[in-house]
Amino acid sequence: MSSGATPDPYTDPLAFGQRLQILRTRRGLTRDQLGGLVGRSGSWVKSVETGRLGTPKLEVILRIAEVLRLRDLSDLTGDQSMRVDLFTGPGHPRLPSVKAAVDAFPLTRTREAPPTAHLNARLRGAWQARHSAPNHRDVIGALLPDLIRDAQATVRQANSGAERRAAHAVLAEVYSLTQFFVAYQPDAALLWRVAERGLVAAQESEDPHALGVAAWLAAQAHRDAGHSHFDAADAVNLRTLAFLEPLLPDASDEILAITGALTFEAGYTAARRGETGTAWRYWDQARAMAARLPADYYHPVTSFSHAIMGAHAVTIAVELHQGGESVRQAAAADAVTIPSRPRRARHRIEEARAYQLDGQPDVALATLAQAHEAAPETIKYNGFAKRIVLEEAESKAPARRRRASELAARIGVLAA
């Protein structure tokens, strides 16, 4: 090549350590923070990044990918033959039709808007269908396009300020349901459009419950975007809590539930930061709010209830990397049945994380099988479940390796 030729950017591909440093920096983590989250030291991370240590074993790579919330494992390994979606699913077949409804910008009156009462009844049915269906994404994905279009039309065709505010409250909840569908799908921009539109519609509604739900989902979107977005998650969360707290003395069940859900979310973010005392303090506050609710109450959006607090305790312990405590909480939580199939499957995945953290990989795989039985579409799009299965598929124990491989085929890892 002549000295004036354009250099080939792929002649010297990035080493694993270089990729790790770039991805770590992008997530806003120090070496000590990343090391602590994967069970290593900051000096170990430095040695890997500078090339003094070689590429770690697969189980460590998967833990790093989990902490960095990578969408594709090849971003870290550089091996394009190893393209594995981790925290984004392969894309649901109904995603294009839902996306088309979200992206549409109708200015003409092409459909007659239904009454808000009718839309509310359809929403209640959609939430019930989501909680009861093992293929919940398929079910709500079929309902969402018309719900989105009808809710938008109801806002546009409202005849008074009160009607418009009520219509915005319904539209905000439709976007909340939509966010459940688009989460972990291969379209991050769509997720953020839905979250932001939900916040705008909730603000226009001036309805405290709608504002709380939209903030709850926005805080999750910020937190899932990575460590550098945790402050944004807290800002949305804590400001909304400050807005709702004056309403608590005479609060309805739904206001109490959304306040409790937001309180737990603050603890969840604290746990992701490694702030043990703060995380458990928020969990205690949320449990006290749950205790004020009727025993059979179950919030349709957040799942906040008596039943969910045990599952939340498992999540806090797992995020704090407290292996023994997470298993203890998992044993306690099993005494209560979560009525929602996808939420029950999510809890089983959190339990599996607890068992693997505690050095019980066979129990972790058995628990993931229970998650698959409860709601196959939940485990299919869950990166933590995929990480455990991929790691155990490399186990030195033949029986465990076989079980993990069979589960990988069942949840669709091989098709991702």
Side-chain angles (χ1 to χ4, degrees):
M1 180 185 292
S2 68
S3 60
T6 302
D8 183 353
Y10 302 105
T11 299
D12 299 309
L14 289 176
F16 179 89
Q18 293 171 302
R19 290 174 176 274
L20 176 60
Q21 182 172 359
I22 291 169
L23 293 167
R24 173 182 61 77
T25 304
R26 187 183 70 180
R27 285 298 184 196
L29 291 171
T30 66
R31 285 169 171 160
D32 285 337
Q33 287 171 333
L34 177 60
L37 290 170
V38 300
R40 296 291 193 275
S41 65
S43 60
W44 179 87
V45 175
K46 181 178 180 180
S47 295
V48 173
E49 290 183 348
T50 58
R52 287 174 52 209
L53 289 178
T55 302
K57 294 180 179 179
L58 179 61
E59 64 184 74
V60 179
I61 293 175
L62 289 168
R63 290 188 187 280
I64 293 171
E66 174 187 329
V67 171
L68 297 177
R69 303 292 290 182
L70 299 183
R71 299 197 178 279
D72 195 304
L73 196 60
S74 65
D75 291 344
L76 181 59
T77 64
D79 183 356
Q80 296 302 309
S81 67
M82 211 176 153
R83 295 189 63 83
V84 179
D85 291 326
L86 287 173
F87 289 89
T88 301
H92 195 279
R94 295 194 186 276
L95 180 61
S97 60
V98 173
K99 183 178 186 298
V102 173
D103 289 346
F105 187 54
L107 294 176
T108 57
R109 186 166 176 160
T110 57
R111 59 200 297 141
E112 193 68 27
T116 55
H118 176 71
L119 280 174
N120 274 319
R122 286 164 60 187
L123 265 174
R124 285 194 299 272
W127 285 116
Q128 290 170 0
R130 178 184 181 272
H131 290 307
S132 61
N135 58 331
H136 51 92
R137 269 195 169 85
D138 194 55
V139 169
I140 64 171
L143 300 173
L144 277 171
D146 281 340
L147 267 173
I148 293 168
R149 295 186 184 100
D150 285 346
Q152 290 172 338
T154 300
V155 169
R156 291 195 308 276
Q157 296 174 34
N159 293 317
S160 68
E163 286 183 3
R164 186 167 288 104
R165 285 191 295 274
H168 272 297
V170 176
L171 179 60
E173 189 170 341
V174 170
Y175 283 135
S176 297
L177 183 63
T178 306
Q179 190 167 336
F180 275 88
F181 178 85
V182 301
Y184 305 115
Q185 297 293 301
D187 195 334
L190 178 63
L191 174 68
W192 280 108
R193 281 202 299 283
V194 170
E196 289 168 357
R197 290 185 188 183
L199 282 170
V200 171
Q203 288 173 329
E204 292 292 332
S205 77
E206 301 180 9
D207 179 84
H209 179 256
L211 284 162
V213 170
W216 181 78
L217 285 163
Q220 291 188 3
H222 280 297
R223 187 180 59 239
D224 287 347
H227 193 277
S228 61
H229 294 257
F230 286 179
D231 286 346
D234 275 339
V236 172
N237 206 335
L238 298 179
R239 287 172 188 166
T240 309
L241 280 173
F243 169 76
L244 292 172
E245 281 169 0
L247 307 178
L248 290 182
D250 302 310
S252 63
D253 288 344
E254 68 174 10
I255 293 297
L256 184 59
I258 191 57
T259 306
L262 284 162
T263 301
F264 167 72
E265 287 301 315
Y268 191 175
T269 304
R272 290 281 296 273
R273 281 194 171 104
E275 298 171 351
T276 303
T278 302
W280 285 115
R281 175 170 56 82
Y282 277 123
W283 180 84
D284 279 331
Q285 292 174 4
R287 181 178 57 174
M289 293 182 195
R292 292 174 53 187
L293 293 168
D296 60 348
Y297 180 85
Y298 196 81
H299 191 261
V301 184
T302 67
S303 295
F304 193 78
S305 57
H306 286 265
I308 210 65
M309 291 312 301
H312 283 339
V314 175
T315 296
I316 292 290
V318 167
E319 292 295 346
L320 290 169
H321 298 270
Q322 299 174 336
E325 178 65 15
S326 61
V327 168
R328 188 182 72 80
Q329 293 291 351
D334 256 0
V336 180
T337 300
I338 299 171
S340 167
R341 292 186 70 143
R343 189 60 185 83
R344 190 158 66 244
R346 159 82 186 283
H347 172 51
R348 293 300 184 200
I349 293 168
E350 295 293 278
E351 286 185 319
R353 295 176 67 197
Y355 287 121
Q356 185 164 54
L357 190 64
D358 196 50
Q360 302 183 53
D362 290 314
V363 183
L365 289 173
T367 308
L368 288 180
Q370 291 178 314
H372 184 268
E373 182 180 352
E377 285 193 344
T378 294
I379 192 171
K380 179 178 181 180
Y381 295 97
N382 187 283
F384 297 117
K386 289 184 180 181
R387 192 266 294 169
I388 293 171
V389 170
L390 287 169
E391 183 174 329
E392 297 309 327
E394 296 286 320
S395 170
K396 294 180 180 179
R400 186 183 306 148
R401 188 166 64 244
R402 182 173 59 254
R403 290 179 65 191
S405 299
E406 291 171 353
L407 189 55
R410 288 168 63 193
I411 69 176
V413 170
L414 300 180

